Amino acid sequence: MNTRTPQAVLAALTLLALTGCAGASTSQPAASETTKSEHGEIAGVAQVAEPQLHLVAIDAAGKASMLDLLNGTTAQLEPVQPPVNVTSDGRYVFAANTHGVEIIDSGVWTWDHVDHFHYYRAEPAALGTVAGEGAATVATGLLSTAGTTGMFFPSSGSAVLVDNSALSEGTISETLRLEVAPHAGLIAPLGDGAVVTEADANGKAARLRAIDAGGKELTAAECPATAGTITTRAALVIGCADGAVIATSDGAAPALDHVPYPAGAAAPATAFDARKGRPTVAGIGKDAGVWLLNTREREWDWIPTATPVLAAAAVDDDAGHVVVVGTDGTVQVYEESTKERIATTTPLMPKTLASPELTGKVELTVDGGRAYVSAPAEGVVFEIDFADGARIARTLELTTQPVHLVETGR
């Protein structure tokens, strides 16, 4: 199952970034140069001046391509088995099919040092497959070259942690594989261990277990109808029917704190999204509205929306932008503090909305300046300037149909 690539030189990057960054200069070499700076010279890897933002599109057959958002160039990637869902941590692309998760290294990523960032660029590569039965739920952390990535396979009940540092060497290395009762669950990285779901008597995810790196239970919490997870700088979030569990670890025993919904709340959130790392996240359920969860303040808020919601993400910038894709095909922008809708586009994807098998594949991703919304049937991705009246900045075409879409380089 372990597969090596010519990118083995990337292994040193994690250690160099951790040990050589305290006095880091803000000057960076050009993208074509090999890095030679306070991090040392690393063959095949360029440290660059700005985020190397790319879109990766995968079609229904598994063909994959990547679009450079800085210069508009496209590149073909190794194809994967037809995926059910696709996830990214900002570098790796995790394409889950019914028998495993195939991993693509996009070759572009950001190292987040909280008070500053480093940006890197290398060649993309196909890394291999993590085996399991049923389309896995994938949970990522903040750093693509440190910590782990969680994969939970519902049909086999396999809960797997994959070492991110090994991925940066081009190797798939499982640090943990637990076999639990099959159910639609999740395993999400937390500190040196993880949080993993446990099924109730009806085979539904209903309890959370915080475990150490060896799988030993450290603490537990009830979480009925567990669904959805995201990691922010402040905490790990896991959705429950009655609120969310905020999980933290300071190197000692992990804490699983329940944050209940307000009284008379709307339908619970079953998925969460936000600009990578930011503490406020958007959650969507079945109602016409978006939940906002501030993972620092541990507070919920509700923003009613003009339509039911296909996708939503919190930008969590100074203006508090929240971007929503409505079931009518519009992109709507709301202000977090006032809950006012400040911009709406015209319907953007009539062909997609007329194709039920593709409507659920509409993807939204946000970064600090733009939102990207896929229209699979139209075969395009809309780049939205959410701070400028939801202006369509570009209509982007990739060489593969964007049935699945993720943004890397973040």
Side-chain angles (χ1 to χ4, degrees), residues 106-118:
S106 72
V108 288
W109 71 96
T110 294
W111 185 276
D112 182 351
H113 283 272
V114 182
D115 60 342
H116 67 285
F117 301 87
H118 296 284

Side-chain angles (χ1 to χ4, degrees), residues 312-334:
V315 181
D316 203 19
D317 53 357
D318 290 341
H321 291 110
V322 179
V323 183
V324 170
V325 181
T327 53
D328 61 351
T330 63
V331 176
Q332 306 161 24
V333 182
Y334 294 82

Side-chain angles (χ1 to χ4, degrees), residues 58-64 78-83 102 400-401 403-404:
I58 302 178
D59 68 13
K63 294 180 181 178
E78 289 292 325
V80 297
Q81 293 297 311
E102 293 187 67
T400 52
Q401 183 187 24
V403 174
H404 305 276

Side-chain angles (χ1 to χ4, degrees), residues 89-363:
D89 63 353
R91 175 179 178 175
Y92 304 108
V93 180
F94 303 98
N97 58 60
T98 55
H99 299 291
V101 176
E102 293 187 67
I103 305 175
I104 299 171
D105 183 356
S106 72
V108 288
W109 71 96
T110 294
W111 185 276
D112 182 351
H113 283 272
V114 182
D115 60 342
H116 67 285
F117 301 87
H118 296 284
Y119 312 110
Y120 296 98
R121 184 166 188 150
E123 290 298 315
L127 302 186
T129 302
V130 178
E133 294 304 311
T137 295
V138 178
T140 62
L142 291 182
L143 294 176
S144 60
T145 47
T148 58
T149 297
M151 303 178 186
F152 191 96
F153 297 90
S155 298
S156 60
S158 301
V160 181
L161 292 179
V162 173
D163 183 12
N164 290 345
S165 179
L167 287 181
S168 69
E169 294 182 289
T171 301
I172 297 175
S173 176
E174 296 180 9
T175 65
L176 180 69
R177 180 177 280 257
L178 292 177
E179 301 299 337
V180 302
H183 65 285
L186 60 85
I187 181 170
L190 179 67
D192 293 331
V195 176
V196 62
T197 54
E198 182 176 81
D200 61 16
N202 297 316
K204 306 294 185 182
R207 184 172 181 264
L208 301 176
R209 301 166 54 233
I211 58 176
D212 65 14
K216 177 184 176 182
E217 182 177 314
L218 301 175
T219 189
E222 298 302 311
C223 182
T226 309
T229 184
I230 191 171
T231 296
T232 77
R233 279 184 178 171
L236 165 67
V237 177
I238 299 175
C240 314
D242 56 357
V245 167
I246 303 290
T248 55
S249 176
D250 60 1
L256 302 179
D257 297 322
H258 182 243
V259 181
Y261 286 118
T270 55
F272 299 91
D273 199 6
R275 179 159 59 112
K276 185 179 177 182
R278 298 299 300 165
T280 299
V281 302
I284 62 170
K286 295 181 179 179
D287 292 336
V290 175
W291 283 110
L292 293 181
L293 176 60
N294 186 317
T295 59
R296 284 203 175 107
E297 302 299 327
R298 304 191 177 197
E299 293 179 348
W300 290 103
D301 204 358
W302 174 256
I303 296 181
T305 56
T307 63
V309 179
L310 287 178
V315 181
D316 203 19
D317 53 357
D318 290 341
H321 291 110
V322 179
V323 183
V324 170
V325 181
T327 53
D328 61 351
T330 63
V331 176
Q332 306 161 24
V333 182
Y334 294 82
E335 188 178 81
E336 180 181 335
S337 60
T338 65
K339 304 181 182 180
E340 292 183 0
R341 178 160 49 107
I342 57 178
T344 306
T345 68
T346 57
L348 300 180
M349 54 198 76
K351 292 182 181 178
T352 296
L353 297 181
S355 306
E357 73 280 7
L358 292 176
T359 301
K361 299 297 185 181
V362 173
E363 302 282 0

Side-chain angles (χ1 to χ4, degrees), residues 368-379:
R370 295 289 190 267
Y372 297 92
V373 179
S374 66
E378 284 77 4

